[in-house]
Amino acid sequence: MSRRSLLVLPDDSAQVILDAIEGSKHSLRVKMFVFSDPHLLKAVAAARKRGVKVRVMLNPARRDGADDNESSRKALQAEDVEVKDSNPDFGITHEKSMVVDEEIAFVKSLNWATKNLTETRDYAVSTSHAKEVEEIIECFEADWHRKSFEPGSSAHLIWCPANGRDRIAQFIDDAKHKLFVQNERYQDPIIIERLVRAASRGVKIHIMARPPHTLKKEKLLEGVGGMRIMDDVGIKVHKLKHLKLHGKMLLADDLRAIVGSINLAPGSFDDRRELAIEIHDDDVVERLHKVAHHDWEHSHALDLSDKGLLADLEEREGAEKLALKGKKEKEKEDE
């Protein structure tokens, strides 16, 4: 019997998460980048009221200073929930996890924000595998008490900053026939190199990304460059038609997968607290294959030519650094 199960959003609802919170008897540990959904806030507060030991760790602010969790932090504290900012040793805590009664853990790509429950392609994996649950608890306690966490070479899970880049690179290297990847960002040169090498040895690769205009100004060069390199070597790069892509998922040979919070960018690997899980469970992998097929069928190729990028990045600050041919001609047409 599988000890892991999959939640796909927005196809599934948040009910599985709500049921897990409502079923908690002793303890609840939540680590979240953004926590704002009113139903989840209510469920966590209700768990505390019935005597569950609830601890919530929230990212204090984004790099631009925006604090998505300010009102939720106050609301939870008003309900006597223990709330603490995430470990300041990391630029951002982007991990999205929950442990219920030290028995079941959730590893997620989704924030506990209503839009990630209803509007974006996102994933969560629940696990009752004892070693995996123990690792998440160990990291939570280390971050809560501001101590170091070293998962070591025998780690079951994928952690940043620790083994994240190595594990994902190895996952790509081990692909034999096909590889499907959904991620918001393709900026890490090592991961791009591994994808290019996989393509060169005959692995059929399908990449799903967000369009270039969604990238932050300071990440535009790496983001566009990474996608164009992959496109140049024949890797298909597509965009979802009717959903925003927020999930981070890799599927290899329809046999194994990775799901979690890790963007394929240097900052995620080296400076952020991130978490992902590798899965081999047949039922989980089979459903991910179905989702991958559906999403590919409901997508279209990103036009990464100079002309296509100019159209996509129209009026975007920073686009001039991309050295796109035709930019001056387009400016003359607009005069």
Side-chain angles (χ1 to χ4, degrees):
M1 184 176 179
S2 175
R3 288 181 286 183
R4 302 174 190 85
S5 60
L6 178 69
L7 181 68
V8 179
L9 295 164
D11 305 43
D12 306 328
S13 71
Q15 195 58 51
V16 171
I17 300 172
L18 288 167
D19 288 346
I21 297 170
E22 291 166 2
S24 61
K25 296 178 176 63
H26 311 294
S27 65
L28 193 63
R29 294 173 173 89
V30 177
K31 193 187 296 184
M32 196 59 55
F33 180 58
V34 178
F35 185 0
S36 58
D37 181 75
H39 299 292
L40 289 167
L41 283 166
K42 184 178 179 181
V44 168
R48 177 67 191 93
K49 285 181 180 178
R50 65 174 184 270
V52 176
K53 182 179 180 180
V54 180
R55 286 182 290 167
V56 177
M57 211 177 322
L58 299 174
N59 188 68
R62 296 177 185 263
R63 291 189 184 278
D64 62 5
D67 189 347
D68 302 281
N69 297 311
E70 184 176 4
S71 60
S72 298
R73 188 181 294 109
K74 291 177 180 177
L76 290 168
Q77 289 171 336
E79 298 291 346
D80 198 30
V81 174
E82 288 187 78
V83 184
K84 184 177 282 191
D85 284 348
S86 51
N87 194 334
D89 285 350
F90 309 107
I92 284 176
T93 288
H94 197 240
E95 175 187 345
K96 299 111 158 89
S97 67
M98 175 175 73
V99 182
V100 181
D101 293 336
E102 303 186 358
E103 295 176 355
I104 185 168
F106 287 75
V107 178
K108 313 179 188 77
S109 68
L110 62 119
N111 291 297
W112 279 6
T114 304
K115 69 177 182 179
N116 289 142
L117 300 170
T118 60
E119 300 176 14
T120 61
R121 170 62 75 224
D122 263 302
Y123 303 96
V125 172
S126 64
T127 175
S128 58
H129 190 291
K131 294 294 185 182
E132 293 169 350
V133 175
E134 287 171 10
E135 268 186 36
I136 296 172
I137 291 173
E138 183 182 350
C139 182
F140 185 97
E141 294 298 325
D143 285 349
W144 185 269
H145 296 290
R146 307 320 195 216
K147 295 181 179 179
S148 63
F149 169 68
E150 300 294 339
S153 58
S154 61
H156 290 262
L157 298 170
I158 302 171
W159 295 97
C160 298
N163 62 2
R165 184 182 282 109
D166 288 345
R167 285 284 298 273
I168 291 177
Q170 188 62 53
F171 182 92
I172 296 168
D173 289 348
D174 290 341
K176 293 178 172 58
H177 307 292
K178 55 183 177 178
L179 189 63
F180 177 86
V181 187
Q182 286 183 327
N183 207 280
E184 289 182 273
R185 304 179 190 175
Y186 297 85
Q187 298 165 356
D188 189 78
I190 299 301
I191 299 304
I192 293 166
E193 171 207 328
R194 290 309 209 282
L195 289 167
V196 168
R197 289 187 174 194
S200 70
R201 66 174 184 270
V203 177
K204 186 177 181 180
I205 303 178
H206 292 76
I207 295 290
M208 300 205 74
R210 295 184 71 177
H213 72 262
T214 65
L215 295 170
K216 294 180 180 178
K217 174 186 173 183
E218 62 273 17
K219 302 298 182 182
L220 199 57
L221 296 181
E222 303 99 304
V224 169
M227 286 192 285
R228 292 187 92 180
I229 288 170
M230 292 188 292
D231 184 60
D232 285 345
V233 297
I235 296 174
K236 296 180 179 180
V237 183
H238 277 215
K239 170 192 178 296
L240 269 171
K241 284 183 181 178
H242 305 301
L243 281 175
K244 290 182 179 179
L245 176 61
H246 184 259
K248 300 92 173 68
M249 186 267 279
L250 298 92
L251 176 64
D253 300 324
D254 293 333
L255 295 173
R256 54 201 177 87
I258 289 176
V259 169
S261 68
I262 305 171
N263 283 307
L264 303 179
S268 294
F269 289 123
D270 301 325
D271 188 49
R272 296 182 171 194
R273 169 66 79 212
E274 305 269 14
L275 171 62
I277 183 170
E278 185 169 344
I279 315 128
H280 298 255
D281 307 61
D282 291 343
D283 54 341
V284 174
V285 171
E286 182 180 355
R287 187 166 184 211
L288 285 172
H289 167 74
K290 291 178 180 178
V291 173
H293 179 76
H294 173 275
D295 285 356
W296 194 257
E297 289 294 312
H298 293 81
S299 70
H300 61 76
L302 278 174
D303 186 351
L304 296 170
S305 67
D306 284 10
K307 183 178 179 180
L309 286 170
L310 285 169
D312 182 76
L313 296 169
E314 191 173 7
E315 298 181 3
R316 263 302 305 274
E317 188 178 356
E320 68 279 355
K321 294 182 180 180
L322 294 172
L324 299 173
K325 295 178 181 178
K327 183 172 179 58
K328 291 183 177 179
E329 289 80 355
K330 191 175 188 305
E331 287 174 348
K332 289 179 180 178
E333 290 176 4
D334 294 337
E335 288 178 354

